[in-house]
Amino acid sequence: MQRLNNQTLATAANVASTPNYDRANTNAGIIHLGIGAFHRAHQAWYTEALLNKGATDWQIIGASLRSATVKDQLVAQDGLYTVVERGADGEKFQVIGAVKDVLVGPESPAALLSVMVNAQIKIVSLTITEKGYCHDPASGNLNLNNPDIQHDLANPASPKSAIGFIVAALDVRRRSGIDSFTVLSCDNLPNNGAVLEKIVLQYADKVSTQLATWIRANTTFPCTMIDRIVPATTDADRQELEGKLGLRDEGMVLAEPFSQWVIENKFCSARPAWEDAGALLVDDVHVYEIMKLRLLNGSHSLLAYCGYLAGFDYVSEVMREPVLAKLCQVFMDREVSQTLTVPAGFDMEHYKVELRERFSNPGLKHRTWQIAMDGSQKIPQRWLQTLQAQLDTKGNINLLCLALAAWIRYVSGVDEKGQTIDVQDPLAAELKALCEASNTAEETVRAVLGMTKVFGNALAANAQVLAATTQWLDRINEHGVLAALKSELG
Ligand code: NAI
Ligand code: CS2
C-alpha cells in the first residue's frame, strides 16, 4: 500500500479536507517540543485552520526529545498525516499539513538548537508530559537530581531535556541580539506557564545570573488550558484507516470531536491568530484550567485506577459498568464541583454531563493503563488540591480517599487477579519498594502518603485522610474494587 505524501495526497479517499495552501512557500514560526499524538490533534489542528485561511508564517517544526518514531512516521509522508475525528455519530478524516519537518533532539542537539535560534521562530511550545518538566510536583521546584538536568548543566551546548534546550536557545538569542520567543506549555499542569517559567529561571540561574535576568525581562510563558481526548494510536487504527483512505498513514491520530484551548494572552513575540480557529485568548486561564484538571482529569484518573483494577481495558467500557459510572457522577457532584469557581455564565452541570458523555464515547479506545501512567506526577493537580479544598471547608473526602487507595493498590504492582501490573511512573520502583516493605494497609498508606515530593507535608499527618484511605485499601484488598464500591454506592 502506498504511503500518504505530497505525491499521493490527491488520491486519498473519503477525506473531508486536505491542506488548501502552498506548503512549500509557508514559513515555520513555531517549534514544538514533544510532537506526540496530542499536539497533532490539537495545536497543529488549530494552526491548520489558520493556514487554510491564508496565514503564511505559522507552520510548525516538531521535535522529539526521545525517540525517532514520529520523525520516521512523518518525514516519509512530507509531514502529512490524518486526524480521525470519531464521535457517537460517526467519523471524519482531515489531512493536516501544518507540520513542516520533524527533528530528533538526541540525533543532533546542535541541529535542533540551530532552528530554535532562528529569528523567524516566535514560539516554542511543549507537550512533553508532566515528567518532562523535571520538577518536584509538590514544590514546583526544578529537581536538580534529575539525570537529564545534571547532564544539561554539565553540557549546556548539547542538552537532553526541554528545559536545557529552551535555556540554551535563549542564551544564543540573547548573545546574538535576537528577540526572545514565547514559551508555550500545553501540558496538563496547573499554572503550566508559571510552573515552566519558575523551572526555566531556576535552571538559567545555574548557568548565569545575567541570562536569568534577560529571560525575566524578555521572555513570557503564557498559561494554557488544553482539552481534547486523544488516545495513543494503535496498529489496528492504522490498518482501519488504510482501508478507508486507500493509503498507508503511519502518523495518523484519532481524537474525539470536542476540542477546547484557552490561552493566556501574554506573548512577547508575534503569534498566530488562534482565536480565529476557535481558541479563547483570555487574561486569566486559572478558572478554566482548575475546572478541567479537577473535573476531567481528576475523574479520568479515578476511573483509570478503579477501572484497571476491575479488569477494564478502556474508559468507555468502564463507563458502561453502572457502579463505576455512578462513582464518576458522585465524585464530580459531591467532592469536586464545590471546590470550583467557574467562568462567568458557565454551566457547570452541563459540563459535567458532557464530560461523562465524552468518557463514554465508544469510538475511542482510550486505555485505562495509558491514563494510569505517571500517577505520581498527575495526582497533585488532579486530586490533592481538591482534597485540600474539601478539608479546608470540612467537605466530603470519601471518594478522594478511595482514589488514593486505588492508586496505591495499582502502584503496588499486582492486580486483583494476582497478575503483575506494568506500572509506568518515574517513581515506580520507589513506590513498589514502599508497598513491599509495609505489612498492613495502614503502614502502606502512611509510607506512600509520606512521600513529601509528591504529597508535601500535610497529608501524612492528617488522621482523617489516613483512616479513610486505609479503610478503602483494606476493602479493595479484601473484596476487590467493584464489590467495595457496590456496597458503598449501591
Ligand atoms: P505521547 O506519548 O503521544 O507523546 C508524548 C511526547 O512527550 C513524546 O514526544 C515524548 O517523546 C515526549 N516526552 C516524554 N517524556 C519526556 C521527557 N521526559 N522529556 C521530554 N519529552 C518527553 O502523548 P500525548 O498524547 O501527546 O500527550 C502528551 C501530553 O499532552 C500529556 O502528558 C498531557 O500533558 C498533554 N495532553 C494530552 C492529551 C491527550 O488526551 N492525549 C489531552 C490534553 C493534554
Ligand atoms: C488523560 C488526559 O492521559 C491522561 O492522563 O487524563 O490526557 C486527557 O485525555 C486529556 O487531558 C483530555 O484533554
Side-chain angles (χ1 to χ4, degrees):
M1 181 65 73
Q2 283 189 307
R3 286 285 281 276
L4 170 67
N5 58 34
N6 284 341
Q7 268 69 48
T8 60
L9 176 61
T11 70
N14 296 311
V15 287
S17 78
T18 57
N20 70 4
Y21 52 98
D22 178 4
R23 295 180 71 225
N25 288 310
T26 304
N27 301 316
I30 301 171
I31 299 239
H32 185 79
L33 305 180
I35 179 160
F38 177 63
H39 173 75
R40 277 174 280 161
H42 194 263
Q43 184 181 334
W45 177 81
Y46 282 90
T47 308
E48 180 76 356
L50 301 182
L51 296 170
N52 275 328
K53 285 182 183 183
T56 51
D57 290 328
W58 297 114
Q59 264 196 312
I60 299 165
I61 295 178
S64 171
L65 305 186
R66 289 285 177 272
S67 78
T69 310
V70 176
K71 176 188 163 192
D72 295 343
Q73 290 168 341
L74 290 188
V75 170
Q77 299 183 180
D78 302 314
L80 295 170
Y81 65 92
T82 313
V83 171
V84 176
E85 203 174 285
R86 193 177 288 161
D89 309 334
E91 57 183 11
K92 190 174 108 188
F93 306 145
Q94 178 179 3
V95 176
I96 305 285
V99 176
K100 200 168 194 66
D101 197 4
V102 182
L103 303 175
V104 180
E107 281 179 0
S108 172
L112 176 52
L113 279 174
S114 75
V115 183
M116 291 175 78
V117 303
N118 183 327
Q120 281 192 344
I121 296 299
K122 306 293 185 197
I123 294 174
V124 172
S125 52
L126 308 88
T127 47
I128 51 170
T129 80
E130 294 82 346
K131 62 187 173 299
Y133 290 74
C134 307
H135 71 312
D136 282 336
S139 66
N141 286 324
L142 178 69
N143 177 5
L144 289 168
N145 295 320
N146 181 293
D148 286 356
I149 295 299
Q150 289 184 338
H151 169 276
D152 292 358
L153 285 169
N155 307 277
S158 64
K160 288 184 175 177
S161 72
I163 312 302
F165 272 104
I166 290 167
V167 174
L170 288 173
D171 199 14
V172 176
R173 289 176 85 115
R174 172 182 73 102
R175 289 163 194 265
S176 319
I178 301 171
D179 287 346
S180 178
F181 45 67
T182 299
V183 186
L184 190 67
S185 168
C186 295
D187 276 295
N188 277 327
L189 292 166
N191 271 324
N192 48 13
V195 164
L196 181 56
E197 179 173 17
K198 177 171 164 183
I199 297 161
V200 163
L201 289 172
Q202 286 177 341
Y203 179 100
D205 255 325
K206 298 267 171 208
V207 179
S208 105
T209 46
Q210 256 181 319
L211 171 61
T213 305
W214 186 86
I215 295 175
R216 267 189 201 93
N218 292 281
T219 310
T220 56
F221 300 76
C223 290
T224 62
M225 183 272 245
I226 57 280
D227 189 9
R228 190 173 206 184
I229 296 177
V230 186
T233 311
T234 65
D235 280 337
D237 296 328
R238 293 188 189 97
Q239 202 59 38
E240 194 180 330
L241 180 67
E242 185 177 316
K244 296 173 179 167
L245 212 60
L247 293 170
R248 180 72 180 175
D249 180 355
E250 294 288 346
M252 67 160 283
V253 286
L254 213 146
E256 62 176 339
F258 181 95
S259 187
Q260 196 175 16
W261 195 12
V262 189
I263 309 168
E264 185 183 10
N265 199 355
K266 196 175 80 171
F267 287 71
C268 62
S269 52
R271 67 164 177 84
W274 279 311
E275 61 274 39
D276 294 345
L280 199 58
L281 273 289
V282 299
D283 290 337
D284 189 357
V285 175
H286 193 65
V287 282
Y288 293 95
E289 66 180 17
I290 294 297
M291 179 181 74
K292 190 256 172 175
L293 285 167
R294 293 188 192 175
L295 274 176
L296 188 159
N297 298 111
S299 311
H300 232 189
S301 290
L302 172 68
L303 293 172
Y305 296 116
C306 291
Y308 184 98
L309 292 174
F312 295 107
D313 285 337
Y314 303 115
V315 178
S316 56
E317 291 173 0
V318 175
M319 292 300 285
R320 282 203 294 277
E321 163 55 52
V323 78
L324 293 173
K326 183 162 184 191
L327 169 67
C328 182
Q329 182 184 345
V330 177
F331 178 71
M332 288 178 172
D333 289 346
R334 278 198 214 144
E335 303 199 10
V336 185
S337 324
Q338 46 282 100
T339 72
L340 300 170
T341 311
V342 292
F346 188 85
D347 183 349
M348 180 148 57
E349 290 312 307
H350 172 75
Y351 183 70
K352 289 189 288 188
V353 171
E354 188 181 43
L355 282 181
R356 295 195 290 274
E357 283 168 9
R358 292 170 61 195
F359 293 161
S360 307
N361 182 346
L364 295 186
K365 294 225 172 315
H366 202 181
R367 291 182 73 190
T368 48
W369 177 83
Q370 185 185 355
I371 299 160
M373 212 177 266
D374 294 340
S376 67
Q377 314 297 301
K378 293 173 172 174
I379 282 174
Q381 56 273 18
R382 295 184 180 207
W383 298 338
L384 300 186
Q385 294 178 351
T386 315
L387 182 57
Q388 192 54 55
Q390 288 289 71
L391 287 170
D392 291 346
T393 56
K394 302 205 182 330
N396 287 317
I397 61 162
N398 186 28
L399 298 180
L400 286 156
C401 293
L402 155 70
L404 288 171
W407 173 67
I408 292 171
R409 173 60 201 249
Y410 182 89
V411 297
S412 76
V414 181
D415 74 10
E416 292 184 357
K417 294 192 186 98
Q419 305 290 317
T420 303
I421 303 174
D422 175 15
V423 179
Q424 295 288 322
D425 191 301
L427 301 182
E430 216 174 307
L431 287 161
K432 192 169 191 323
L434 287 177
C435 293
E436 283 175 356
S438 307
N439 294 313
T440 62
E442 187 184 346
E443 274 181 35
T444 312
V445 170
R446 267 186 201 284
V448 174
L449 298 191
M451 289 178 90
T452 48
K453 59 191 161 200
V454 178
F455 294 100
N457 292 315
L459 269 202
N462 187 302
Q464 193 191 352
V465 173
L466 280 178
T469 310
T470 302
Q471 212 179 37
W472 273 114
L473 186 55
D474 264 330
R475 290 166 75 181
I476 292 173
N477 287 342
E478 201 173 327
H479 307 292
V481 76
L482 276 188
L485 281 171
K486 279 177 187 156
S487 69
E488 180 76 19
L489 297 171

